[in-house]
Amino acid sequence: MSIHKSTREMLLSVVDDMEIISKELIENITAAKHLKLSTSDHSILIELLINKDKELKSFLTKAEEQAKINQKMETLKAEVHAQDQEIQQLQKQLKEAEQILATSIFQARQKLQSIAKANKRPVPSEELIKYAHRISASNAVCAPLSWQQGDPRRPYPTDIEMRVGCLGRLSDLPLNGQMVGPHSNITDLHRPSGQQTETIPPQVGGPFAWHPSGEIHMSVTGQGTVPINTHKQETEDVEVMSTDSSSSSSSDSQ
Amino acid sequence: MDVEIISQEEPANPQFTVADLDIEILPVIYDILRSIEKDPHDSQKAKESADTSQKILELKSKLESARAQINKLPGIEYSKQEQLQKLETLRQQLRLKKELIQKYRNMCTFDSQKV
């Protein structure tokens, strides 16, 4: 019984018992003679009262011990609380570290993916160099040394490239003298080239248009195109360009 | 040692202890019984009975104060066995928490293969 009942309950019940016994005793003494209990019963009651007092004392000793245990528990609780705080702090730090690591792992995975992608379709260095030559060939200051007539390579931007560029847009303007301020075309520079090539029909290539034959046709409004013989001049240009040995163009190596 | 430190640290909340208790009931009962059992003279009877009823009231208040004092006693919400069990649980909890902290502190080694 004492296992399930708290010490406080036990103490209070002992006090209750003592109250009842004392009440009984007092009533017995004050009662009329014929109603009085026998002496033996009386002494039993007194003995019971004394036993209850002893019980009370033993419970009080127990309570004293329990108070000490309680203090120990309080100490432990305080310590547990301190540990809880520390654990929370550590968990917070770990979470931060996890977040940082997750970000770097994500970035690293992205890099690994791009590496794998690059490994899947490797570009040989020669091809890269070739491409570089192509760029330099069309943007160089002079033609390659080995350039000959009929060579499709050009030391200047080709017609398609021109059309894609800003100058190609300028030539789209109508020829009837309506001049638009140069500033209006600046915004066109930022247009994506792909969009421009789509919007410009190949027929309206400006007053001069390249044809696969290499001839320049000048378009005159209402009269179709007028072919211009540029062969002689081109040859001369080539000669001038090829003699320019001081040029630092990388196309020399071709 | 720890207990002493704690009790010194909390002077604002002094705890009621068993030593502070004043619940001696037997002497009061003895006094009452003795005063009734006396065979008083008729002239004294009235005075004695007044004295006795005073003592009975005293006993009642003593019992009430005993109950109040018992209710103030700390740490007797449980039986001793339960309390010891709870103490053990707390110790266990503290040990586990210390282990956890130790674990967290020693976690700085990373397995590069897992990453």
Side-chain angles (χ1 to χ4, degrees):
Chain A
M1 194 175 96
S2 65
I3 297 169
H4 301 297
K5 270 192 167 181
S6 75
T7 311
R8 177 167 290 142
E9 280 170 358
M10 299 299 287
L11 273 166
L12 289 173
S13 77
V14 169
V15 171
D16 287 346
D17 289 350
M18 283 178 87
E19 191 182 9
I20 292 163
I21 295 164
S22 60
K23 208 173 164 186
E24 195 74 23
L25 273 172
I26 291 162
E27 273 176 5
N28 183 44
I29 285 174
T30 52
K33 273 198 175 172
H34 64 277
L35 290 169
K36 272 189 181 177
L37 292 167
S38 64
T39 326
S40 61
D41 286 346
H42 190 76
S43 58
I44 286 170
L45 269 179
I46 287 176
E47 227 167 274
L48 196 62
L49 187 66
I50 290 165
N51 280 339
K52 282 288 168 190
D53 191 60
K54 275 182 190 164
E55 215 176 303
L56 184 73
K57 292 276 180 326
S58 78
F59 275 128
L60 284 177
T61 323
K62 212 183 208 182
E64 205 169 0
E65 285 166 16
Q66 279 189 266
K68 281 177 188 165
I69 296 170
N70 191 50
Q71 277 178 334
K72 268 188 205 168
M73 279 170 80
E74 292 295 323
T75 323
L76 276 174
K77 271 181 192 167
E79 222 170 309
V80 166
H81 184 69
Q83 306 280 343
D84 269 345
Q85 298 277 328
E86 207 165 330
I87 287 169
Q88 269 179 7
Q89 209 181 333
L90 281 167
Q91 275 177 340
K92 206 174 142 194
Q93 285 173 1
L94 275 172
K95 203 139 206 175
E96 275 172 33
E98 192 199 0
Q99 213 165 7
I100 295 166
L101 278 172
T103 316
S104 33
I105 285 170
F106 177 71
Q107 285 171 354
R109 280 206 179 124
Q110 272 188 331
K111 277 182 189 169
L112 281 171
Q113 269 178 2
S114 51
I115 287 168
K117 206 172 159 188
N119 282 339
K120 236 183 220 175
R121 295 181 59 190
V123 180
S125 54
E126 289 106 38
E127 205 169 306
L128 269 179
I129 293 163
K130 252 191 226 168
Y131 191 66
H133 278 309
R134 253 182 70 192
I135 294 167
S136 69
S138 56
N139 294 284
V141 290
C142 69
L145 285 174
S146 58
W147 195 90
Q148 280 182 348
Q149 220 172 352
D151 194 336
R153 289 177 297 157
R154 294 285 182 276
Y156 41 81
T158 57
D159 182 44
I160 298 159
E161 285 161 342
M162 281 303 285
R163 278 186 202 177
V164 167
C166 174
L167 288 170
R169 296 284 304 158
L170 275 173
S171 58
D172 277 351
L173 293 169
L175 285 171
N176 53 10
Q178 271 188 352
M179 285 299 289
V180 184
H183 294 291
S184 64
N185 291 314
I186 286 171
T187 51
D188 293 340
L189 287 171
H190 303 294
R191 287 193 187 173
S193 57
Q195 195 188 341
Q196 282 182 7
T197 46
E198 281 170 21
T199 52
I200 304 164
Q203 287 82 9
V204 263
F208 299 97
W210 279 90
H211 283 262
S213 60
E215 286 177 350
I216 296 172
H217 290 255
M218 188 181 176
S219 49
V220 180
T221 23
Q223 290 173 18
T225 56
V226 179
I228 300 167
N229 193 357
T230 55
H231 281 296
K232 200 187 169 192
Q233 204 183 343
E234 197 180 70
T235 324
E236 279 171 13
D237 283 351
V238 168
E239 275 172 12
V240 169
M241 280 190 285
S242 58
T243 48
D244 187 6
S245 57
S246 65
S247 166
S248 62
S249 170
S250 62
S251 58
D252 290 353
S253 62
Q254 277 191 338
Chain B
M1 185 88 173
D2 289 341
V3 171
E4 280 175 19
I5 290 165
I6 281 181
S7 57
Q8 281 169 4
E9 277 174 353
E10 295 171 352
N13 186 20
Q15 286 199 326
F16 192 78
T17 61
V18 174
D20 302 323
L21 283 177
D22 178 28
I23 47 172
E24 283 297 329
I25 299 165
L26 277 193
V28 186
I29 298 170
Y30 174 71
D31 263 3
I32 295 166
L33 293 181
R34 203 179 56 175
S35 68
I36 295 169
E37 274 183 341
K38 268 184 192 171
D39 194 12
H41 299 289
D42 287 344
S43 57
Q44 281 186 329
K45 200 165 187 177
K47 193 190 163 196
E48 285 293 334
S49 83
D51 193 31
T52 309
S53 52
Q54 179 67 35
K55 276 178 180 164
I56 288 170
L57 281 176
E58 200 185 309
L59 175 68
K60 270 190 177 173
S61 66
K62 193 95 187 172
L63 285 165
E64 280 311 308
S65 99
R67 287 193 183 101
Q69 286 176 63
I70 286 167
N71 279 325
K72 272 202 269 178
L73 278 177
I76 52 168
E77 300 86 3
Y78 310 103
S79 68
K80 198 172 177 182
Q81 284 88 339
E82 277 178 316
Q83 202 181 20
L84 286 172
Q85 231 170 3
K86 282 190 189 293
L87 184 71
E88 197 46 49
T89 316
L90 270 176
R91 281 200 179 124
Q92 182 89 353
Q93 214 177 341
L94 187 65
R95 192 176 57 77
L96 285 172
K97 287 192 178 187
K98 276 185 176 166
E99 274 177 16
L100 186 64
I101 288 174
Q102 209 57 36
K103 193 180 150 194
Y104 278 156
R105 288 217 170 114
N106 296 331
M107 259 177 76
C108 48
T109 48
F110 288 102
D111 190 354
S112 57
Q113 283 189 336
K114 271 187 187 172
V115 175

